[in-house]
């Protein structure tokens, strides 16, 4: 990080992290201003400023004459903080992604569709055929960009969408995730500001943290994605080095940017010379009709790095993804070479062979139908079993539902209780550098409907209600927030 | 980079890079001090200092009353520069690794043994069997550290060496290269100094450059590896954040550190609390006897990150490597998860299955015999065909020969001429942040001996002689270096 944030903000961030990680739980009393002043060796003003900031974030509350307490279910702040935030979430993300050692029978927190939805027998045949056809020399020459046949197949898939992408523009990566990380590293220097969505995919937050970047969170709606007016103001104010977002079936909201908005997004970024890292791994999982075009389709200056993957559509665990990197393709090729030389050749060759065989479209049609049906069933069950006032998104693609519980609920407590019973879920604070969205959760609709799953959803509903009833006594809210 | 190097050094580095990249060729006249002063807007003293530094590096020479010229075959400086060097070699490395579009029939510059030496038919069977046994759920749960069966097999291989490494300490990575990169990123912040060998594996130079680190080059000998006395002095002076080196069959020198020296290396680094990134991908390719123990075997504080790979011993192109990361294992697991989630599951499962089958040792014995025989033949041919005064290493493992031509020769010109004829080689300046080792080259002894290969070695000898004869007229060396 080139510029250190002010002292009070660092203190506030540290306490936020403790609250988010569950080290400080709702109702816990914070150390007094005087204690903190002594233990940190800072001024009372610094502590007051830090506590004010935490109050503004909805994470703590002041109780008259009894000090400061962690808020029971910190209400999500309506709009994200607009100052670029240093990111310190990785530890929390890893904790929240874990299962705490519990056996999970109902993976509603998973990031992947059920493996039963993928054609592994056919992929195995493709792997055998693909590896028979391999010229051994290919294995020890590093072709820039990776397996040529696979890059050609990916270029053909772009062509079906009416997009001309040369195979040379495509860099194969270990899943989209490596491509996104390498792209971000290529475009930024430590201390740079980067536009991201709020809520956003947690891996983006981790990437920003690892590279010492600052997050500028753009408010994002389930209906149509990132707010471009807010983005325009944030660009003027913070001169970001890059923008990383998902334009189709965003994770976690499922939002789909309308075509005109994608065009406007690209125009806005091009006007300011800001490269766009477009994470588009769910684009081919539309529930009906044709896959949406990515924002890249409207790019005129080669400044969009479009990342895709077979991990969510065909072969989870094989780690085959790509970036169509526009004018950054040569630099990204080299970044990939330096980082890990190439992807795993057998997996690349097998997927190339499978795509040539022409079965992919049929598989995708079946997968889309399954995901659409599962989403309908899961959504209906959530609305039936969760408390009144619960809101659930209704995405047109992908396999995530974003559930907003009434404001007083706490998805972190719910996660802890659910894990005890073998049910995972993704709590809202996973998706935000500031630990907001505490009353929200992401559920995976990629699992076939079964009695176990039905029972798990009903059980989640019970847990939510019982947690509300059993809430620890809590100091009365002050008349004024000080 | 946190601290900018002084102006004169930046100018010198820029000119070094131009010379190394071949933009300035031997015999070319450098711009005069007055011209440079004007074009750069700096003082005459700065230009003089930069030119003196380039002279000291052996890259240019002053000719009385006619200015400065690029040295014809910059003699390798006996000891590396001991100031930490910002690294700016990536562009040169990529150029030198490329083939300039030429079809290569004799890949003496390759980093891999010939693919004909690997058991691909058996690996294909292992892949089929391994993927049949896969539990689909494994594909969408990210097990920390990667495929458990493979980590267990790797732990068993350590046990054969008498080393107790728990499977949980092992993080599977996409080849050793990704593991090395992630380790370095984990242990450093931009601007930190890192101990590396000189000459060293070029990927280490690229990694330092990408992360904005400074190289402290430790003189390294073909006989026994890095000079520990020099290292101790460099540690006192520069407080490096990490050390990255190869203790067995080092690339490019082939040096093998004796056991006592490995022990002393670890003791020295532990005394100063400096983590060691031990790149050990050639350890199992000893030509005779048992594989050498790594330095990690002598570690007492968990501070050695030991990186291995199957890319050089079993399955090139599959990108299956690992790091046994000591006390850094949990952090490295997380770095891997954030960077690319996991390695490619089919390749990991196949290699686990292959290792369980028990064929690996037999394959390794055959591979070692082949590499030892090929090295003898290639070495004899080089000594026969290359000019008198050529020196060639005689490593006890691996498959690289380091060839030192008489001082006046230029491996960059040789590379250019050889590529025209379909022969690749790795010129010395690839292996150094300062472009030294111009009269050296690395040859790959991993190719079975064939008439084509024999003819290529003879042809290289002819090219070397003809280049000496045809050297451009060159200003007489000054009596004094100014």
């Amino acid at each position: 990080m080139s510029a250190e944030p002010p002292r009070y903000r660092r203190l506030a961030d540290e306490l936020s992290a403790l609250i988010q990680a569950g080290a400080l739980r709702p109702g816990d009393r914070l150390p007094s201003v005087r204690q903190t002043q002594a233990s940190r060796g800072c001024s009372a003003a610094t502590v007051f400023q830090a506590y004010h900031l935490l109050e503004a974030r909805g994470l703590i509350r002041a109780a008259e004459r009894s000090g400061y307490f962690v808020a029971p279910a910190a209400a999500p702040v309506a709009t994200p903080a607009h100052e670029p935030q240093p990111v310190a979430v990785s530890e929390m993300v890893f904790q929240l992604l874990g299962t705490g050692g519990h056996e999970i029978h109902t993976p509603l927190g998973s990031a992947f569709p059920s493996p039963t939805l993928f054609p592994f027998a056919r992929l195995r045949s493709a792997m055998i055929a693909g590896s028979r056809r391999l010229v051994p020399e290919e294995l020890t020459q590093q072709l820039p960009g990776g397996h040529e046949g696979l890059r050609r197949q990916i270029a053909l898939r772009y062509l079906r969408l009416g997009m001309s992408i040369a195979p040379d523009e495509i860099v194969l990566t270990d899943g989209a995730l490596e491509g996104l990380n390498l792209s971000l590293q290529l475009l930024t220097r430590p201390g740079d500001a980067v536009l991201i969505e709020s809520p956003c995919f947690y891996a983006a937050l981790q990437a920003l943290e690892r590279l010492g970047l600052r997050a500028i969170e753009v408010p994002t709606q389930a209906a149509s994605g990132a707010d471009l007016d807010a983005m325009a103001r944030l660009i003027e104010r913070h001169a970001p080095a890059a923008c990383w977002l998902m334009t189709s079936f965003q994770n976690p909201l499922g939002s789909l940017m309308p075509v005109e908005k994608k065009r406007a997004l690209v125009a806005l970024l091009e006007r300011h010379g800001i490269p766009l890292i477009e994470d588009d791994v769910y684009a081919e999982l539309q529930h009906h009709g044709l896959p949406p075009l990515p924002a890249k389709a409207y790019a005129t200056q080669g400044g969009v790095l479009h990342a895709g993957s077979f991990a969510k559509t065909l072969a989870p665990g094989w780690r085959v993804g790509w970036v169509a990197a526009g004018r950054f393709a040569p630099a990204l090729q080299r970044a990939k070479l330096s980082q890990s030389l190439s992807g795993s050749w057998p997996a690349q060759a097998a997927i190339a062979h499978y795509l040539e065989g022409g079965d992919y479209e049929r598989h995708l049609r079946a997968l889309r139908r399954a995901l659409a049906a599962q989403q309908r069933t899961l959504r209906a069950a959530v609305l039936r079993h969760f408390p009144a006032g619960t809101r659930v998104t209704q995405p047109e693609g992908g396999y995530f539902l974003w559930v907003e519980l009434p404001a007083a609920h706490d998805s972190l407590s719910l996660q802890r209780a659910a894990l005890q019973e073998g049910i995972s879920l993704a709590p809202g604070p996973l998706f935000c550098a500031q630990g907001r969205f505490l009353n929200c959760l992401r559920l995976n609709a990629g699992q076939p409907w079964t009695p176990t799953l039905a029972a798990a959803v009903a059980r989640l509903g019970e847990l939510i209600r019982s947690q509300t009833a059993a809430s620890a006594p809590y100091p009365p809210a002050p008349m004024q927030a000080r």
Side-chain angles (χ1 to χ4, degrees), chain A:
Chain A
M1 200 78 53
S2 67
E4 279 269 44
R7 181 107 197 222
Y8 77 91
R9 184 184 295 281
R10 277 180 288 153
L11 177 55
D13 289 342
E14 218 173 300
L15 293 169
S16 292
L18 287 174
I19 294 168
Q20 288 151 14
L24 280 170
R25 308 279 294 273
D28 282 352
R29 187 196 298 264
L30 267 71
S32 73
V33 172
R34 189 185 301 261
Q35 283 169 339
T36 309
Q37 196 185 341
S39 66
R40 305 274 170 160
C42 61
S43 70
T46 297
V47 184
F48 272 120
Q49 277 185 291
Y51 283 12
H52 286 181
L53 185 57
L54 290 171
E55 270 191 277
R57 290 183 188 168
L59 292 174
I60 68 171
R61 289 203 193 146
E64 231 167 350
R65 271 182 251 138
S66 30
Y68 290 85
F69 295 81
V70 178
V77 179
T79 51
H82 281 184
E83 288 303 312
Q85 301 291 318
V87 188
V89 290
S90 239
E91 187 52 39
M92 175 187 74
V93 169
F94 284 119
Q95 282 187 19
L96 296 184
L97 287 176
T99 61
H102 298 286
E103 281 282 327
I104 300 303
H105 55 73
T106 305
L108 286 166
S110 169
F112 288 90
S114 164
T116 59
L117 299 172
F118 298 101
F120 284 112
R122 275 180 190 276
L123 282 171
R124 206 154 47 220
S125 317
M127 181 163 275
I128 299 163
S131 76
R132 280 230 179 81
R133 283 196 322 188
L134 259 187
V135 182
E137 279 67 26
E138 289 179 30
L139 293 166
T140 56
Q141 292 161 4
Q142 277 63 53
L143 294 184
H147 192 282
E148 199 178 352
L150 181 55
R151 285 185 290 126
R152 219 165 32 234
Q153 287 298 319
I154 294 168
L156 286 174
R157 294 196 64 76
Y158 278 113
L159 206 57
R160 293 166 63 110
L161 295 173
M163 295 171 67
S164 291
I165 306 277
D168 283 353
E169 191 191 326
I170 295 166
V171 181
L172 300 181
T173 54
D174 297 345
L177 185 58
E178 190 197 35
L180 294 162
N181 273 299
L182 293 176
S183 298
L184 189 65
Q185 189 169 15
L186 193 69
L187 299 173
T188 60
R189 292 292 162 268
D192 280 351
V194 175
L195 293 166
I196 57 169
E197 294 156 310
S198 179
C200 85
F201 175 38
Y202 44 74
L205 300 174
Q206 295 183 310
L208 263 63
E209 180 175 339
R210 290 204 311 144
L211 297 172
L213 301 169
R214 292 171 303 140
I216 311 180
E217 298 191 306
V218 182
T220 299
Q221 308 302 328
S224 67
D227 175 339
L228 296 193
D229 292 335
M231 187 185 286
R233 287 191 299 273
L234 292 166
I235 289 173
E236 295 290 351
R237 199 154 142 201
H238 301 294
C243 174
W244 170 341
L245 48 71
M246 306 183 79
T247 54
S248 297
F249 315 131
Q250 194 255 10
N251 177 2
L253 294 178
S255 41
L256 173 63
M257 263 194 194
V259 166
E260 276 316 310
K261 198 168 170 186
K262 283 177 177 161
R263 200 191 295 271
L265 167 70
V266 170
L268 171 64
L269 295 174
E270 287 188 345
R271 209 151 54 235
H272 293 274
I274 301 170
L276 172 62
I277 301 173
E278 186 176 19
D279 178 358
D280 207 18
V281 298
Y282 304 103
E284 298 195 291
L285 298 181
Q286 82 283 5
H287 295 166
H288 307 286
L290 295 173
L293 276 180
K296 186 178 174 75
Y298 307 105
T300 63
Q301 301 170 8
V304 179
L305 301 97
H306 182 253
S309 172
F310 295 102
K312 316 294 171 71
T313 57
L314 178 64
W318 288 36
R319 310 306 302 143
V320 179
W322 71 90
V323 181
R327 66 174 190 264
F328 300 103
L332 189 67
Q333 267 181 17
R334 292 178 169 202
K336 169 65 185 168
L337 265 175
S338 318
Q339 175 71 17
S340 55
L341 210 53
S342 72
S344 188
W345 215 250
Q348 294 185 1
I351 292 183
H353 190 82
Y354 178 86
L355 295 180
E356 286 163 18
D359 268 352
Y360 191 39
E361 281 305 316
R362 193 169 46 204
H363 156 68
L364 280 177
R365 280 195 299 273
L367 178 61
R368 289 163 186 156
R369 265 196 311 274
L371 295 180
Q374 289 166 196
Q375 175 179 303
R376 270 194 306 276
T377 319
L378 178 63
R379 189 168 185 277
V382 167
L383 287 171
R384 186 161 59 246
H385 293 289
F386 282 28
T390 296
R391 296 195 299 177
V392 186
T393 54
Q394 197 163 6
E396 297 167 60
Y399 47 88
F400 292 129
L401 291 181
W402 181 249
V403 179
E404 193 179 337
L405 300 171
H409 291 280
D410 171 353
S411 60
L412 294 176
S413 316
L414 178 62
Q415 184 197 26
R416 281 190 292 266
L419 285 177
Q420 302 270 1
E421 309 198 9
I423 306 166
S424 71
L425 55 86
L430 258 181
F431 303 94
C432 174
Q434 268 112 138
R436 284 175 291 108
F437 307 111
L438 188 63
N439 63 323
C440 299
L441 48 138
R442 187 194 72 184
L443 295 180
N444 179 313
Q447 316 300 319
W449 194 248
T450 60
T452 310
L453 179 49
V457 176
R459 183 65 189 139
L460 281 184
E462 286 168 20
L463 287 173
I464 294 167
R465 286 168 212 280
S466 69
Q467 291 198 327
T468 320
S471 273
Y474 190 76
M479 300 315 289
Q480 232 192 316
R482 264 188 54 91

